[in-house]
Amino acid sequence: MDKKVCDLLIIRNIKLNHDNYLLELESDELLGTIVPGQFVNVLVPDAPSTFLRRPFSIHETNISNNRFSILVKVVGEGTRKLGLLQPGNHLNVIFPLGNGFSRPKNYEKILLIGGGVGIAPMMHMARESKELGAEIHILLGARTDKDHILIEDFSKHGPVYLTTNDGSLGVHGFVTHHPVFSADHHFNRIYCCGPDPMTHAVAAKAAQLDIDCEVSLENMMACGFGVCLCCVTSTTSGNQCVCTEGPVFNTKQLKWQI
Amino acid sequence: MTASGTFGNGVEFDDFIDINKLGGILLKGTTLHHREGNDYPRMAETPSGMLNAVGLQNKGAQYFCEHIYPKVARYNTKVIVNVNGSTIEEYIELTQQIAELEHIAAIELNISCPNVKEGGMAFGTSCPMAEQVTRAVRKVYPKTLIVKLSPNVTNIVEIARAVEAQGADSISLVNTFLGMAIHAESRRPVLSTITGGLSGPAIKPIALRMVWQVAQAVKVPVIGMGGIMNATDAIEFMIAGASAVQVGTANFIDPLITMKIIAGIEEYLNRHKMSSVNELIGSLQM
């Protein structure tokens, strides 16, 4: 689908917990096709210290209403401003950007892994994969029980497994410590999004278990549509832009030391 | 025009704007041989600007001629190649290959890239070297030769006069300012290369001053750039003496910005009852 720059209407801005917001946006034009794993680049209004746009994964879509949502974790001035936006405000957005995850086959069994705000693209992915007929399992990692969000929504699409770094909810430890990996699941593919150390650990685990693995990367970028060449990652085909060749890469493409 | 390195090869903007409405497009910097560029991280957001250290990532001259040129030749605007080298010989060989391409209107000789170890800015920060490379390229390039200057010099007017004397048809300025960013908590540099090139509105007042100085000192047309974010910025560069302007970093934030700037300049001309931008160029009232 063609990329476009639009002022989207904010329908809702829901505070999910102490530092996460779910922003639902509506376009007055048809949205077109959005692939799970694609992202948007958002111009933060009234934030002079935020010079560049901020990229966010598309969390979920509602094509019939021309709506989609993004998950915003407050980490700085720009995301703090986004948390303050009200329904009726507009947000200038470039979308849809990036390649998105591969589509699972209807007979496949897949594991979706999200860490922290990296759970964002997995809602759209879980719903569409289920609609395609795949069997979905969802593994979510967070620092503490207070950082876990949207568990009920995820559980509509398949069994949800949880880990926390401090053991306050689910399995104590990182996502790779969860017994779902040792169980007799025989996943066809793992899809993963989260902080760098987590995606590396998942990639290593997948390689050890000989499971195909796709990761969504979150490199810093200036433009989001392949012209600034700032967000590159080293791949078997040389340096590639995370914004256009990614953000999703099969771990076999990446030159990671795992 | 669009500034090199901020507009890809134009095709990335086809979804957003009608490129034929631009005065010209400057393609991503090209070198004779393939370059992988620098390691990630290559970018740091800074107050009112950004640092980049891309390092001229491109697939080289042969790939350009075979794969990129056919795509850009269809544009009905001036398509200009930004030419880079680490030796005089590389500049000459690349220029000769570009000179064969009918639909390339001009080259912009980049002697100001701050992000490569060898060559690049070294040619633009010394008068004798700037003269030498301009003279050598002038000999092998019959069409319009633009020379892009580095602001990382003590006296930019001297360099501008030197390249004009060696046959430059036009001078574009400024490239990025050498800068750096540090993560205080980790005490590490943000960029993999430690230093990088600063662009965006943070540099505009300095760029404007340099354009004003150079425009007074040379007879060839000057192309102004450095932090242009809107039509007013572009108009200010023309008042300072720029015959044309290039829009760079603003393309990252708003891919429609060039169209808005064109409309804004037209609106300004109408409001001031000017029949052409020529009335604006160098019209600073003292």
Side-chain angles (χ1 to χ4, degrees), chain A residues 39-42 52-55 94 97 220-231 241 243-244, chain B residues 5-6 8 12-13 16 43 50 249 251-255:
Chain A
F39 69 100
V40 302
N41 217 359
V42 171
L52 300 168
R53 284 176 186 263
R54 293 291 184 265
I94 308 179
L97 300 172
M220 285 186 299
M221 52 187 70
C223 69
F225 48 92
V227 296
C228 74
L229 308 186
C230 288
C231 63
C241 283
C243 69
T244 47
Chain B
T6 67
E12 294 87 347
F13 282 78
F16 300 117
M43 190 272 285
M50 60 175 279
T249 303
N251 287 306
F252 298 155
I253 297 158
D254 183 358

PDB file of all heavy atoms in Angstrom, chain A residues 39-42 52-55 94 97 220-231 241 243-244, chain B residues 5-6 8 12-13 16 43 50 249 251-255:
ATOM      1  N   PHE A  39       4.597  -0.247  11.042  1.00  0.00           N
ATOM      2  CA  PHE A  39       4.625   0.817  12.046  1.00  0.00           C
ATOM      3  C   PHE A  39       4.240   2.160  11.449  1.00  0.00           C
ATOM      4  O   PHE A  39       4.040   2.289  10.240  1.00  0.00           O
ATOM      5  CB  PHE A  39       5.999   0.872  12.727  1.00  0.00           C
ATOM      6  CG  PHE A  39       7.132   1.352  11.839  1.00  0.00           C
ATOM      7  CD1 PHE A  39       7.573   2.664  11.914  1.00  0.00           C
ATOM      8  CD2 PHE A  39       7.758   0.503  10.935  1.00  0.00           C
ATOM      9  CE1 PHE A  39       8.626   3.116  11.114  1.00  0.00           C
ATOM     10  CE2 PHE A  39       8.800   0.941  10.128  1.00  0.00           C
ATOM     11  CZ  PHE A  39       9.226   2.246  10.217  1.00  0.00           C
ATOM     12  N   VAL A  40       4.095   3.137  12.332  1.00  0.00           N
ATOM     13  CA  VAL A  40       3.774   4.506  11.919  1.00  0.00           C
ATOM     14  C   VAL A  40       4.848   5.429  12.488  1.00  0.00           C
ATOM     15  O   VAL A  40       5.535   5.074  13.441  1.00  0.00           O
ATOM     16  CB  VAL A  40       2.385   4.946  12.450  1.00  0.00           C
ATOM     17  CG1 VAL A  40       1.304   4.004  11.959  1.00  0.00           C
ATOM     18  CG2 VAL A  40       2.359   5.014  13.982  1.00  0.00           C
ATOM     19  N   ASN A  41       5.012   6.605  11.888  1.00  0.00           N
ATOM     20  CA  ASN A  41       5.956   7.587  12.422  1.00  0.00           C
ATOM     21  C   ASN A  41       5.167   8.839  12.771  1.00  0.00           C
ATOM     22  O   ASN A  41       4.521   9.440  11.918  1.00  0.00           O
ATOM     23  CB  ASN A  41       7.070   7.874  11.401  1.00  0.00           C
ATOM     24  CG  ASN A  41       8.415   8.081  12.061  1.00  0.00           C
ATOM     25  OD1 ASN A  41       8.528   8.034  13.287  1.00  0.00           O
ATOM     26  ND2 ASN A  41       9.434   8.324  11.267  1.00  0.00           N
ATOM     27  N   VAL A  42       5.222   9.201  14.033  1.00  0.00           N
ATOM     28  CA  VAL A  42       4.299  10.192  14.603  1.00  0.00           C
ATOM     29  C   VAL A  42       5.017  11.510  14.881  1.00  0.00           C
ATOM     30  O   VAL A  42       6.087  11.524  15.485  1.00  0.00           O
ATOM     31  CB  VAL A  42       3.721   9.637  15.934  1.00  0.00           C
ATOM     32  CG1 VAL A  42       2.943  10.701  16.672  1.00  0.00           C
ATOM     33  CG2 VAL A  42       2.865   8.410  15.671  1.00  0.00           C
ATOM     34  N   LEU A  52      12.526  15.095  15.891  1.00  0.00           N
ATOM     35  CA  LEU A  52      12.190  14.076  14.891  1.00  0.00           C
ATOM     36  C   LEU A  52      10.868  13.396  15.257  1.00  0.00           C
ATOM     37  O   LEU A  52      10.414  13.462  16.395  1.00  0.00           O
ATOM     38  CB  LEU A  52      13.301  13.019  14.821  1.00  0.00           C
ATOM     39  CG  LEU A  52      14.680  13.555  14.430  1.00  0.00           C
ATOM     40  CD1 LEU A  52      15.748  12.497  14.679  1.00  0.00           C
ATOM     41  CD2 LEU A  52      14.696  13.990  12.975  1.00  0.00           C
ATOM     42  N   ARG A  53      10.285  12.694  14.263  1.00  0.00           N
ATOM     43  CA  ARG A  53       9.095  11.891  14.546  1.00  0.00           C
ATOM     44  C   ARG A  53       9.468  10.721  15.457  1.00  0.00           C
ATOM     45  O   ARG A  53      10.641  10.373  15.589  1.00  0.00           O
ATOM     46  CB  ARG A  53       8.516  11.352  13.229  1.00  0.00           C
ATOM     47  CG  ARG A  53       7.775  12.397  12.435  1.00  0.00           C
ATOM     48  CD  ARG A  53       7.301  11.853  11.097  1.00  0.00           C
ATOM     49  NE  ARG A  53       6.719  12.933  10.335  1.00  0.00           N
ATOM     50  CZ  ARG A  53       5.402  13.191  10.269  1.00  0.00           C
ATOM     51  NH1 ARG A  53       4.539  12.414  10.883  1.00  0.00           N
ATOM     52  NH2 ARG A  53       4.957  14.220   9.567  1.00  0.00           N
ATOM     53  N   ARG A  54       8.447  10.095  16.033  1.00  0.00           N
ATOM     54  CA  ARG A  54       8.656   8.931  16.891  1.00  0.00           C
ATOM     55  C   ARG A  54       7.941   7.727  16.270  1.00  0.00           C
ATOM     56  O   ARG A  54       6.739   7.799  16.006  1.00  0.00           O
ATOM     57  CB  ARG A  54       8.079   9.202  18.294  1.00  0.00           C
ATOM     58  CG  ARG A  54       8.829  10.290  19.060  1.00  0.00           C
ATOM     59  CD  ARG A  54      10.219   9.816  19.459  1.00  0.00           C
ATOM     60  NE  ARG A  54      10.947  10.780  20.262  1.00  0.00           N
ATOM     61  CZ  ARG A  54      11.808  11.673  19.775  1.00  0.00           C
ATOM     62  NH1 ARG A  54      12.024  11.764  18.490  1.00  0.00           N
ATOM     63  NH2 ARG A  54      12.467  12.481  20.591  1.00  0.00           N
ATOM     64  N   PRO A  55       8.680   6.624  16.047  1.00  0.00           N
ATOM     65  CA  PRO A  55       8.046   5.437  15.451  1.00  0.00           C
ATOM     66  C   PRO A  55       7.325   4.567  16.489  1.00  0.00           C
ATOM     67  O   PRO A  55       7.822   4.389  17.596  1.00  0.00           O
ATOM     68  CB  PRO A  55       9.232   4.680  14.840  1.00  0.00           C
ATOM     69  CG  PRO A  55      10.432   5.119  15.606  1.00  0.00           C
ATOM     70  CD  PRO A  55      10.127   6.461  16.227  1.00  0.00           C
ATOM     71  N   ILE A  94       2.786   9.373   9.535  1.00  0.00           N
ATOM     72  CA  ILE A  94       3.161   8.757   8.255  1.00  0.00           C
ATOM     73  C   ILE A  94       2.941   7.254   8.415  1.00  0.00           C
ATOM     74  O   ILE A  94       3.425   6.647   9.368  1.00  0.00           O
ATOM     75  CB  ILE A  94       4.638   9.003   7.883  1.00  0.00           C
ATOM     76  CG1 ILE A  94       4.990  10.491   7.950  1.00  0.00           C
ATOM     77  CG2 ILE A  94       4.941   8.458   6.486  1.00  0.00           C
ATOM     78  CD1 ILE A  94       6.448  10.788   7.611  1.00  0.00           C
ATOM     79  N   LEU A  97       4.316   1.907   7.458  1.00  0.00           N
ATOM     80  CA  LEU A  97       5.750   1.823   7.165  1.00  0.00           C
ATOM     81  C   LEU A  97       6.269   0.424   7.501  1.00  0.00           C
ATOM     82  O   LEU A  97       5.739  -0.263   8.381  1.00  0.00           O
ATOM     83  CB  LEU A  97       6.501   2.875   7.977  1.00  0.00           C
ATOM     84  CG  LEU A  97       6.083   4.337   7.708  1.00  0.00           C
ATOM     85  CD1 LEU A  97       6.736   5.292   8.700  1.00  0.00           C
ATOM     86  CD2 LEU A  97       6.436   4.745   6.283  1.00  0.00           C
ATOM     87  N   MET A 220      16.988   3.293  16.229  1.00  0.00           N
ATOM     88  CA  MET A 220      16.643   4.715  16.122  1.00  0.00           C
ATOM     89  C   MET A 220      16.635   5.128  14.655  1.00  0.00           C
ATOM     90  O   MET A 220      17.508   4.728  13.883  1.00  0.00           O
ATOM     91  CB  MET A 220      17.687   5.561  16.849  1.00  0.00           C
ATOM     92  CG  MET A 220      17.573   5.504  18.352  1.00  0.00           C
ATOM     93  SD  MET A 220      18.716   6.663  19.093  1.00  0.00           S
ATOM     94  CE  MET A 220      20.281   6.018  18.492  1.00  0.00           C
ATOM     95  N   MET A 221      15.642   5.918  14.276  1.00  0.00           N
ATOM     96  CA  MET A 221      15.543   6.345  12.888  1.00  0.00           C
ATOM     97  C   MET A 221      15.141   7.819  12.820  1.00  0.00           C
ATOM     98  O   MET A 221      14.505   8.335  13.736  1.00  0.00           O
ATOM     99  CB  MET A 221      14.563   5.470  12.126  1.00  0.00           C
ATOM    100  CG  MET A 221      13.202   5.331  12.754  1.00  0.00           C
ATOM    101  SD  MET A 221      12.144   4.122  11.899  1.00  0.00           S
ATOM    102  CE  MET A 221      12.945   2.564  12.294  1.00  0.00           C
ATOM    103  N   ALA A 222      15.529   8.467  11.708  1.00  0.00           N
ATOM    104  CA  ALA A 222      15.125   9.867  11.536  1.00  0.00           C
ATOM    105  C   ALA A 222      13.881   9.962  10.667  1.00  0.00           C
ATOM    106  O   ALA A 222      12.958  10.690  10.988  1.00  0.00           O
ATOM    107  CB  ALA A 222      16.264  10.682  10.939  1.00  0.00           C
ATOM    108  N   CYS A 223      13.842   9.222   9.535  1.00  0.00           N
ATOM    109  CA  CYS A 223      12.733   9.434   8.594  1.00  0.00           C
ATOM    110  C   CYS A 223      11.661   8.358   8.667  1.00  0.00           C
ATOM    111  O   CYS A 223      10.475   8.650   8.655  1.00  0.00           O
ATOM    112  CB  CYS A 223      13.252   9.565   7.167  1.00  0.00           C
ATOM    113  SG  CYS A 223      13.926   8.051   6.465  1.00  0.00           S
ATOM    114  N   GLY A 224      12.040   7.087   8.689  1.00  0.00           N
ATOM    115  CA  GLY A 224      11.065   5.996   8.698  1.00  0.00           C
ATOM    116  C   GLY A 224      10.677   5.489   7.322  1.00  0.00           C
ATOM    117  O   GLY A 224       9.915   4.530   7.221  1.00  0.00           O
ATOM    118  N   PHE A 225      11.184   6.126   6.253  1.00  0.00           N
ATOM    119  CA  PHE A 225      10.825   5.639   4.913  1.00  0.00           C
ATOM    120  C   PHE A 225      12.023   5.478   3.968  1.00  0.00           C
ATOM    121  O   PHE A 225      11.888   5.556   2.751  1.00  0.00           O
ATOM    122  CB  PHE A 225       9.710   6.503   4.277  1.00  0.00           C
ATOM    123  CG  PHE A 225       9.953   7.991   4.352  1.00  0.00           C
ATOM    124  CD1 PHE A 225      10.597   8.665   3.337  1.00  0.00           C
ATOM    125  CD2 PHE A 225       9.516   8.713   5.461  1.00  0.00           C
ATOM    126  CE1 PHE A 225      10.809  10.033   3.405  1.00  0.00           C
ATOM    127  CE2 PHE A 225       9.732  10.090   5.539  1.00  0.00           C
ATOM    128  CZ  PHE A 225      10.373  10.748   4.511  1.00  0.00           C
ATOM    129  N   GLY A 226      13.188   5.235   4.569  1.00  0.00           N
ATOM    130  CA  GLY A 226      14.313   4.758   3.756  1.00  0.00           C
ATOM    131  C   GLY A 226      15.184   5.801   3.101  1.00  0.00           C
ATOM    132  O   GLY A 226      15.916   5.490   2.160  1.00  0.00           O
ATOM    133  N   VAL A 227      15.175   7.046   3.589  1.00  0.00           N
ATOM    134  CA  VAL A 227      16.057   8.029   2.954  1.00  0.00           C
ATOM    135  C   VAL A 227      17.216   8.500   3.833  1.00  0.00           C
ATOM    136  O   VAL A 227      18.255   8.893   3.313  1.00  0.00           O
ATOM    137  CB  VAL A 227      15.299   9.255   2.386  1.00  0.00           C
ATOM    138  CG1 VAL A 227      14.371   8.817   1.278  1.00  0.00           C
ATOM    139  CG2 VAL A 227      14.556  10.011   3.447  1.00  0.00           C
ATOM    140  N   CYS A 228      17.070   8.447   5.159  1.00  0.00           N
ATOM    141  CA  CYS A 228      18.163   8.986   5.982  1.00  0.00           C
ATOM    142  C   CYS A 228      19.274   7.958   6.194  1.00  0.00           C
ATOM    143  O   CYS A 228      20.403   8.323   6.491  1.00  0.00           O
ATOM    144  CB  CYS A 228      17.638   9.505   7.315  1.00  0.00           C
ATOM    145  SG  CYS A 228      17.178   8.228   8.517  1.00  0.00           S
ATOM    146  N   LEU A 229      18.960   6.683   6.008  1.00  0.00           N
ATOM    147  CA  LEU A 229      19.943   5.586   6.145  1.00  0.00           C
ATOM    148  C   LEU A 229      20.590   5.553   7.534  1.00  0.00           C
ATOM    149  O   LEU A 229      21.757   5.193   7.675  1.00  0.00           O
ATOM    150  CB  LEU A 229      21.031   5.671   5.061  1.00  0.00           C
ATOM    151  CG  LEU A 229      20.574   5.778   3.602  1.00  0.00           C
ATOM    152  CD1 LEU A 229      21.781   5.689   2.665  1.00  0.00           C
ATOM    153  CD2 LEU A 229      19.579   4.687   3.240  1.00  0.00           C
ATOM    154  N   CYS A 230      19.847   5.961   8.564  1.00  0.00           N
ATOM    155  CA  CYS A 230      20.400   5.994   9.918  1.00  0.00           C
ATOM    156  C   CYS A 230      20.103   4.733  10.726  1.00  0.00           C
ATOM    157  O   CYS A 230      20.808   4.432  11.668  1.00  0.00           O
ATOM    158  CB  CYS A 230      19.848   7.206  10.673  1.00  0.00           C
ATOM    159  SG  CYS A 230      20.529   8.757  10.077  1.00  0.00           S
ATOM    160  N   CYS A 231      19.042   3.995  10.380  1.00  0.00           N
ATOM    161  CA  CYS A 231      18.560   2.917  11.257  1.00  0.00           C
ATOM    162  C   CYS A 231      19.072   1.548  10.836  1.00  0.00           C
ATOM    163  O   CYS A 231      18.464   0.537  11.158  1.00  0.00           O
ATOM    164  CB  CYS A 231      17.029   2.920  11.265  1.00  0.00           C
ATOM    165  SG  CYS A 231      16.312   2.574   9.640  1.00  0.00           S
ATOM    166  N   CYS A 241      18.231  -0.922   5.930  1.00  0.00           N
ATOM    167  CA  CYS A 241      17.409  -0.025   6.742  1.00  0.00           C
ATOM    168  C   CYS A 241      16.349  -0.829   7.480  1.00  0.00           C
ATOM    169  O   CYS A 241      15.588  -1.572   6.866  1.00  0.00           O
ATOM    170  CB  CYS A 241      16.719   1.010   5.868  1.00  0.00           C
ATOM    171  SG  CYS A 241      17.815   2.313   5.340  1.00  0.00           S
ATOM    172  N   CYS A 243      13.800   0.492   8.752  1.00  0.00           N
ATOM    173  CA  CYS A 243      12.490   1.093   8.440  1.00  0.00           C
ATOM    174  C   CYS A 243      11.885   0.573   7.141  1.00  0.00           C
ATOM    175  O   CYS A 243      10.659   0.555   7.026  1.00  0.00           O
ATOM    176  CB  CYS A 243      12.590   2.613   8.400  1.00  0.00           C
ATOM    177  SG  CYS A 243      13.543   3.271   7.023  1.00  0.00           S
ATOM    178  N   THR A 244      12.689   0.184   6.167  1.00  0.00           N
ATOM    179  CA  THR A 244      12.121  -0.275   4.889  1.00  0.00           C
ATOM    180  C   THR A 244      12.335  -1.769   4.651  1.00  0.00           C
ATOM    181  O   THR A 244      11.414  -2.469   4.260  1.00  0.00           O
ATOM    182  CB  THR A 244      12.712   0.516   3.699  1.00  0.00           C
ATOM    183  OG1 THR A 244      14.122   0.576   3.846  1.00  0.00           O
ATOM    184  CG2 THR A 244      12.134   1.910   3.643  1.00  0.00           C
TER     185      THR A 244
ATOM    186  N   GLY B   5      21.265  13.239   0.253  1.00  0.00           N
ATOM    187  CA  GLY B   5      21.301  12.437   1.478  1.00  0.00           C
ATOM    188  C   GLY B   5      20.036  12.543   2.303  1.00  0.00           C
ATOM    189  O   GLY B   5      19.908  11.876   3.321  1.00  0.00           O
ATOM    190  N   THR B   6      19.106  13.398   1.859  1.00  0.00           N
ATOM    191  CA  THR B   6      17.850  13.538   2.596  1.00  0.00           C
ATOM    192  C   THR B   6      16.655  13.191   1.722  1.00  0.00           C
ATOM    193  O   THR B   6      15.514  13.321   2.143  1.00  0.00           O
ATOM    194  CB  THR B   6      17.642  14.982   3.102  1.00  0.00           C
ATOM    195  OG1 THR B   6      17.441  15.846   1.975  1.00  0.00           O
ATOM    196  CG2 THR B   6      18.829  15.451   3.908  1.00  0.00           C
ATOM    197  N   GLY B   8      16.895  10.370  -0.676  1.00  0.00           N
ATOM    198  CA  GLY B   8      17.134   9.082  -1.313  1.00  0.00           C
ATOM    199  C   GLY B   8      17.476   9.283  -2.775  1.00  0.00           C
ATOM    200  O   GLY B   8      18.297  10.132  -3.131  1.00  0.00           O
ATOM    201  N   GLU B  12      11.720   7.286  -3.322  1.00  0.00           N
ATOM    202  CA  GLU B  12      11.149   7.085  -1.984  1.00  0.00           C
ATOM    203  C   GLU B  12      10.059   8.116  -1.691  1.00  0.00           C
ATOM    204  O   GLU B  12       9.272   7.942  -0.771  1.00  0.00           O
ATOM    205  CB  GLU B  12      12.249   7.185  -0.913  1.00  0.00           C
ATOM    206  CG  GLU B  12      13.295   6.076  -0.970  1.00  0.00           C
ATOM    207  CD  GLU B  12      14.446   6.375  -1.906  1.00  0.00           C
ATOM    208  OE1 GLU B  12      14.338   7.336  -2.714  1.00  0.00           O
ATOM    209  OE2 GLU B  12      15.459   5.654  -1.856  1.00  0.00           O
ATOM    210  N   PHE B  13      10.034   9.212  -2.468  1.00  0.00           N
ATOM    211  CA  PHE B  13       9.051  10.273  -2.247  1.00  0.00           C
ATOM    212  C   PHE B  13       7.889  10.214  -3.228  1.00  0.00           C
ATOM    213  O   PHE B  13       6.991  11.046  -3.170  1.00  0.00           O
ATOM    214  CB  PHE B  13       9.732  11.651  -2.307  1.00  0.00           C
ATOM    215  CG  PHE B  13      10.482  11.987  -1.048  1.00  0.00           C
ATOM    216  CD1 PHE B  13      11.731  11.438  -0.802  1.00  0.00           C
ATOM    217  CD2 PHE B  13       9.919  12.814  -0.085  1.00  0.00           C
ATOM    218  CE1 PHE B  13      12.425  11.721   0.365  1.00  0.00           C
ATOM    219  CE2 PHE B  13      10.599  13.103   1.089  1.00  0.00           C
ATOM    220  CZ  PHE B  13      11.847  12.556   1.317  1.00  0.00           C
ATOM    221  N   PHE B  16       4.465  10.406  -1.926  1.00  0.00           N
ATOM    222  CA  PHE B  16       4.080  11.597  -1.166  1.00  0.00           C
ATOM    223  C   PHE B  16       3.855  12.837  -2.038  1.00  0.00           C
ATOM    224  O   PHE B  16       2.937  13.604  -1.792  1.00  0.00           O
ATOM    225  CB  PHE B  16       5.154  11.929  -0.123  1.00  0.00           C
ATOM    226  CG  PHE B  16       5.394  10.846   0.892  1.00  0.00           C
ATOM    227  CD1 PHE B  16       6.627  10.206   0.987  1.00  0.00           C
ATOM    228  CD2 PHE B  16       4.384  10.461   1.769  1.00  0.00           C
ATOM    229  CE1 PHE B  16       6.859   9.226   1.923  1.00  0.00           C
ATOM    230  CE2 PHE B  16       4.605   9.480   2.722  1.00  0.00           C
ATOM    231  CZ  PHE B  16       5.842   8.849   2.791  1.00  0.00           C
ATOM    232  N   MET B  43      22.911   8.028  14.162  1.00  0.00           N
ATOM    233  CA  MET B  43      22.069   9.214  14.295  1.00  0.00           C
ATOM    234  C   MET B  43      21.882   9.569  15.759  1.00  0.00           C
ATOM    235  O   MET B  43      21.802   8.680  16.606  1.00  0.00           O
ATOM    236  CB  MET B  43      20.716   8.905  13.657  1.00  0.00           C
ATOM    237  CG  MET B  43      19.785  10.075  13.485  1.00  0.00           C
ATOM    238  SD  MET B  43      18.756  10.385  14.912  1.00  0.00           S
ATOM    239  CE  MET B  43      17.573   9.056  14.787  1.00  0.00           C
ATOM    240  N   MET B  50      19.823  17.308  14.342  1.00  0.00           N
ATOM    241  CA  MET B  50      20.271  15.923  14.478  1.00  0.00           C
ATOM    242  C   MET B  50      21.696  15.799  13.970  1.00  0.00           C
ATOM    243  O   MET B  50      22.139  16.561  13.122  1.00  0.00           O
ATOM    244  CB  MET B  50      19.354  14.976  13.693  1.00  0.00           C
ATOM    245  CG  MET B  50      19.282  15.262  12.213  1.00  0.00           C
ATOM    246  SD  MET B  50      18.295  14.042  11.288  1.00  0.00           S
ATOM    247  CE  MET B  50      19.482  12.709  11.093  1.00  0.00           C
ATOM    248  N   THR B 249      17.142  18.155   6.025  1.00  0.00           N
ATOM    249  CA  THR B 249      16.610  17.424   7.174  1.00  0.00           C
ATOM    250  C   THR B 249      15.089  17.515   7.298  1.00  0.00           C
ATOM    251  O   THR B 249      14.445  16.568   7.759  1.00  0.00           O
ATOM    252  CB  THR B 249      17.303  17.954   8.449  1.00  0.00           C
ATOM    253  OG1 THR B 249      18.713  17.796   8.266  1.00  0.00           O
ATOM    254  CG2 THR B 249      16.884  17.197   9.687  1.00  0.00           C
ATOM    255  N   ASN B 251      12.932  17.149   5.164  1.00  0.00           N
ATOM    256  CA  ASN B 251      12.292  16.046   4.418  1.00  0.00           C
ATOM    257  C   ASN B 251      12.037  14.816   5.288  1.00  0.00           C
ATOM    258  O   ASN B 251      11.128  14.043   5.020  1.00  0.00           O
ATOM    259  CB  ASN B 251      13.177  15.605   3.244  1.00  0.00           C
ATOM    260  CG  ASN B 251      13.175  16.601   2.112  1.00  0.00           C
ATOM    261  OD1 ASN B 251      12.118  16.971   1.619  1.00  0.00           O
ATOM    262  ND2 ASN B 251      14.357  17.033   1.705  1.00  0.00           N
ATOM    263  N   PHE B 252      12.869  14.620   6.309  1.00  0.00           N
ATOM    264  CA  PHE B 252      12.702  13.450   7.195  1.00  0.00           C
ATOM    265  C   PHE B 252      11.442  13.588   8.040  1.00  0.00           C
ATOM    266  O   PHE B 252      10.792  12.613   8.362  1.00  0.00           O
ATOM    267  CB  PHE B 252      13.892  13.314   8.159  1.00  0.00           C
ATOM    268  CG  PHE B 252      15.232  13.089   7.508  1.00  0.00           C
ATOM    269  CD1 PHE B 252      16.404  13.460   8.162  1.00  0.00           C
ATOM    270  CD2 PHE B 252      15.324  12.501   6.255  1.00  0.00           C
ATOM    271  CE1 PHE B 252      17.639  13.235   7.581  1.00  0.00           C
ATOM    272  CE2 PHE B 252      16.562  12.283   5.668  1.00  0.00           C
ATOM    273  CZ  PHE B 252      17.724  12.658   6.335  1.00  0.00           C
ATOM    274  N   ILE B 253      11.157  14.828   8.424  1.00  0.00           N
ATOM    275  CA  ILE B 253      10.067  15.067   9.362  1.00  0.00           C
ATOM    276  C   ILE B 253       8.751  15.231   8.630  1.00  0.00           C
ATOM    277  O   ILE B 253       7.714  14.766   9.083  1.00  0.00           O
ATOM    278  CB  ILE B 253      10.403  16.299  10.227  1.00  0.00           C
ATOM    279  CG1 ILE B 253      11.657  15.981  11.045  1.00  0.00           C
ATOM    280  CG2 ILE B 253       9.234  16.688  11.123  1.00  0.00           C
ATOM    281  CD1 ILE B 253      12.400  17.181  11.517  1.00  0.00           C
ATOM    282  N   ASP B 254       8.798  15.886   7.485  1.00  0.00           N
ATOM    283  CA  ASP B 254       7.583  16.075   6.694  1.00  0.00           C
ATOM    284  C   ASP B 254       7.907  15.847   5.219  1.00  0.00           C
ATOM    285  O   ASP B 254       8.456  16.732   4.558  1.00  0.00           O
ATOM    286  CB  ASP B 254       7.033  17.493   6.895  1.00  0.00           C
ATOM    287  CG  ASP B 254       5.728  17.682   6.149  1.00  0.00           C
ATOM    288  OD1 ASP B 254       5.285  16.740   5.457  1.00  0.00           O
ATOM    289  OD2 ASP B 254       5.151  18.778   6.251  1.00  0.00           O
ATOM    290  N   PRO B 255       7.575  14.664   4.707  1.00  0.00           N
ATOM    291  CA  PRO B 255       7.903  14.388   3.300  1.00  0.00           C
ATOM    292  C   PRO B 255       7.166  15.301   2.308  1.00  0.00           C
ATOM    293  O   PRO B 255       7.515  15.326   1.131  1.00  0.00           O
ATOM    294  CB  PRO B 255       7.507  12.917   3.111  1.00  0.00           C
ATOM    295  CG  PRO B 255       6.720  12.530   4.300  1.00  0.00           C
ATOM    296  CD  PRO B 255       6.996  13.503   5.397  1.00  0.00           C
TER     297      PRO B 255
END
